Structures are given as structure tokens and as C-alpha cells.
Amino acid sequence: MTTTAPTTTPAAIDEHRVEEFAGTLFDTIGRSLLTLLLDLGHRTGLFTAAARGPATSAELADRAGLSERYVREWLAALVTGGVFEHEDGVYTLPAEHALCLTGGGSANMAPFSQVTALLAANLDQVEAAFRDGGGVPYERFRPRFTAVMDSLSRGYFDEQLLSGVVPLTGLAGRLAEGIRVADVGCGTGHAVNLLARAFPASEFTGYDIAADAIDLARAEAAALGVTNARFEVRDVVSLPADPPLDAVFAFDAVHDQADPAGVLRAVHRALRPGGTFVVFDVKGSSDLTEDVANPVAPMLYSFSVLHCMTVSLAAGGAGLGTMWGERVARRMLSEAGFDVVTLHDAPDDPVDCIYVCRKSR
């Protein structure tokens, strides 16, 4: 007796859903390419030049000292992309758009466009890691990474660090009186230098594994005349515990460590009893089903795949990922010995949050 295997009927295809998703893909791919042109506008000063007022392509090219033919084609892409307005050969960058694309403050989102080209440069190596495991070493992203990360955070620190972030930590009075402070993963040290200049009675040390970033931090300290800040190239998993610290800051630095749990333990050892650990990091839930409602989650998970997770895995690390989130953060901080005293949304920043932690013993 022969039997026939059961057959299954494929689910009916919703043609409207196919068309809708195809449109989403076209928009996603087109916007990704447009991001590269935003990066070019930021790099070449075209946005700053356009903010001076309406201009023809020739006038705008002259303002920026660039080739008119390239500027004209660039403008065409940005007109069709909704960035510029165009009428009778005159191009206008609306004031509201200029606010988001120019200036040195945190409102300028143009620096974020640099991330796409930066991360795409190592896409072949990320593909290899998908196939073979491991990751892309941090060194492959430098020195460009150092400059990009500085440009992403500098305006925010200038506007919010002293007036917005520090008051949430409860440290302002103690900083004014004079305490010992470290910044782990300090990058170019701009936050350290701002704090040191504002609180001359305190002593600050910035640690980072990138020698090029530390060189820039020291140069800025010298230029600002800051004498109570020093910088050291060091993997912060070996953070010195003697003499003890009163406070430690970590700005978007924990989640991409090779050994994040080891770093948290090292910070705990380095702090004196009653010391404060301020973790400024990405705001997530640690639950994908909740993150789908977060409008910036696609960007942050993508950043994780293309940088934060892979640099950790490249070092044989945990690969914690950008979106480690509140649940995982609280658990890891507790396991390291910290009490999370308060959790705040970062002021004027929809991406990050601030954990204020104490070493109780």
C-alpha cells in the first residue's frame, strides 16, 4: 500500500502588503543614500553656507568654495529628499531645517550622518564575522571613529553636562568642595575638561584605550588651561583602586566593553564606600518586544551589529550590545555591588538615560 505525503497550501499573499513593504524598502534604501549626502553637506560646509540665505547652485558653490556641478546635483537630491526648497533655480534651506543641520549645539543633527559612512567602511569584515564568528577590532574604526564620536557628543556636553546632567547626579556640591573623579572610556576627554574647568577644587582623570583620543584630550586641557585633569591610556577593566575615587562617570562606554561585568567590578573596587557611579548609557528595555515601539531602536540595534557588539566580540568579549537595556543594566550593576539609587531620562536626549548608583560598602 502506498501513501501520499500530505500537501500544504501556501498562505495567500496579500498583494497590498507586498507593495507596501516594497515601498518601505525603497524609502529605507533611498534615505540611506541620502544620509551620505547629508554627511557631505556637513563635511563641506554646504549647510552653513546655505543657511546664509537663498542662492542659486553657482552662488552656493561660490560661498562654499566648491564645484558648481557637484553642488547642483547634490541640491537636486536634497530638494527631492525634502531638505531644501527650490523655485526658479533658487535653492532655500528653511530656517527650521537649518536649525537641525548647522551650529555647534546639540540641535545640529548633521554629525549623526557621519555614522553611516563610518560603519559601512567595515561591512566586509562584519560579513566575515557573521560567517566565521569573532568581530571587527576597534582599531579598524579608528582614527575616524574618534573624530565622529567627538562630534556627536561635544555639542551635547557643552549645553547639558553642567546644567542638565550634573544636577541629576547629586554631585554638584561635592564637586565644588573637591573630590577625586574618573571618567572611564572618556574618548577625547571633552566632558572631563568641562567638569575640571567648572570644578577646580576637584581632581579628574580620564581613561580610554585609544591613544589618539587621549592625545586630543590632553591637547584640549592645555588649550583650556585646565590643570586639575589628567588623561591616561588604559583598559578600564584594570582601573586603579588606590587612592580610592569619590565618583566615576561612564558616558556611553559600558555596553561596548569586551568585559563589561569586569569593568563594573573594577569601578566598584576603585570607589570609596558611599562613592557614586554615574552611568550615562543607551535607554532600552532589554526586551525586543518592548523595543519595537521605540522609534530609534532600528538605528541603535544597527549600530550594535556594525560596531558596539562586534568590537566586543573581536576581543573575545561578551558582545553585550548597544541595546542592553534597563533590566540587564540593573542586574549587572547589582551583581557588581552597586545600588541603583535613581534612573533619569537624559535631559534633551531621547536616546540615553542616566543611572545614579552608590557603593554602599
Side-chain angles (χ1 to χ4, degrees):
M1 180 178 179
T2 61
T3 58
T4 303
T7 59
T8 57
T9 302
I13 296 295
D14 184 335
E15 294 296 338
H16 175 73
R17 190 174 183 183
V18 171
E19 292 178 6
E20 186 177 63
F21 181 62
T24 298
L25 289 178
F26 269 113
D27 183 64
T28 299
I29 295 166
R31 291 288 167 183
S32 69
L33 293 173
L34 199 65
T35 301
L36 298 177
L37 298 194
L38 294 176
D39 188 1
L40 283 170
H42 175 64
R43 295 188 193 196
T44 59
L46 274 166
F47 290 129
T48 300
R52 291 166 50 190
T56 65
S57 59
E59 289 167 342
L60 186 56
D62 184 62
R63 285 181 194 172
L66 300 171
S67 165
E68 186 277 336
R69 183 66 189 94
Y70 277 94
V71 170
R72 182 166 21 114
E73 203 73 0
W74 177 84
L75 283 164
L78 295 191
V79 166
T80 56
V83 178
F84 276 79
E85 296 173 352
H86 172 254
E87 185 175 359
D88 296 330
V90 176
Y91 301 86
T92 301
L93 182 64
E96 296 80 3
H97 296 193
L99 183 66
C100 297
L101 292 168
T102 60
S106 59
N108 184 1
M109 297 179 65
F112 284 89
S113 65
Q114 302 172 93
V115 173
T116 300
L118 170 71
L119 300 185
N122 288 305
L123 198 59
D124 289 345
Q125 288 72 41
V126 175
E127 178 192 355
F130 265 77
R131 300 182 188 282
D132 305 325
V136 183
Y138 181 46
E139 292 75 18
R140 292 296 299 265
F141 294 89
R142 291 166 40 212
R144 180 68 178 151
F145 184 85
T146 298
V148 170
M149 291 302 104
D150 179 83
S151 69
L152 294 185
S153 62
R154 179 168 289 265
Y156 182 81
F157 286 147
D158 286 341
E159 292 183 355
Q160 293 292 340
L161 179 60
L162 300 176
S163 62
V165 175
V166 169
L168 295 177
T169 69
L171 287 169
R174 297 179 64 202
L175 287 166
E177 293 170 0
I179 56 176
R180 296 189 70 253
V181 184
D183 180 354
V184 293
C186 69
T188 58
H190 190 52
V192 172
N193 285 324
L194 291 177
L195 289 167
R197 185 172 60 177
F199 301 103
S202 290
E203 297 179 6
F204 298 85
T205 304
Y207 297 100
D208 202 278
I209 62 171
D212 57 321
I214 292 297
D215 287 343
L216 292 171
R218 289 169 176 161
E220 182 182 65
L224 294 175
V226 169
T227 59
N228 57 326
R230 69 181 190 90
F231 298 92
E232 180 180 329
V233 177
R234 178 185 286 268
D235 186 339
V236 291
V237 77
S238 63
L239 187 67
D242 186 29
L245 297 164
D246 298 289
V248 175
F249 288 87
F251 293 101
D252 280 319
V254 173
H255 64 260
D256 53 3
Q257 297 291 322
D259 182 9
V263 168
L264 297 182
R265 290 193 298 270
V267 172
H268 189 269
R269 287 193 301 270
L271 281 167
R272 67 174 71 254
T276 301
F277 183 28
V278 179
V279 183
F280 185 106
D281 215 297
V282 172
K283 179 168 55 179
S285 69
S286 308
D287 185 341
L288 179 59
T289 60
E290 295 181 23
D291 287 338
V292 294
N294 183 344
V296 297
M299 177 184 72
L300 295 171
Y301 274 112
S302 297
F303 200 98
S304 186
V305 171
L306 297 171
H307 182 265
C308 299
M309 183 185 73
T310 195
V311 298
S312 177
L313 293 175
L320 189 60
T322 310
M323 291 289 279
W324 60 319
E326 181 181 348
R327 292 183 184 86
V328 172
R330 285 183 178 274
R331 173 178 58 78
M332 292 182 68
L333 287 162
S334 177
E335 290 172 351
F338 289 104
D339 299 319
V340 177
V341 178
T342 56
L343 174 61
H344 305 277
D345 288 339
D348 200 28
D349 176 357
V351 174
D352 294 296
C353 60
I354 303 170
Y355 302 85
V356 181
C357 313
R358 295 281 188 274
K359 176 180 178 177
S360 57
R361 61 184 186 280

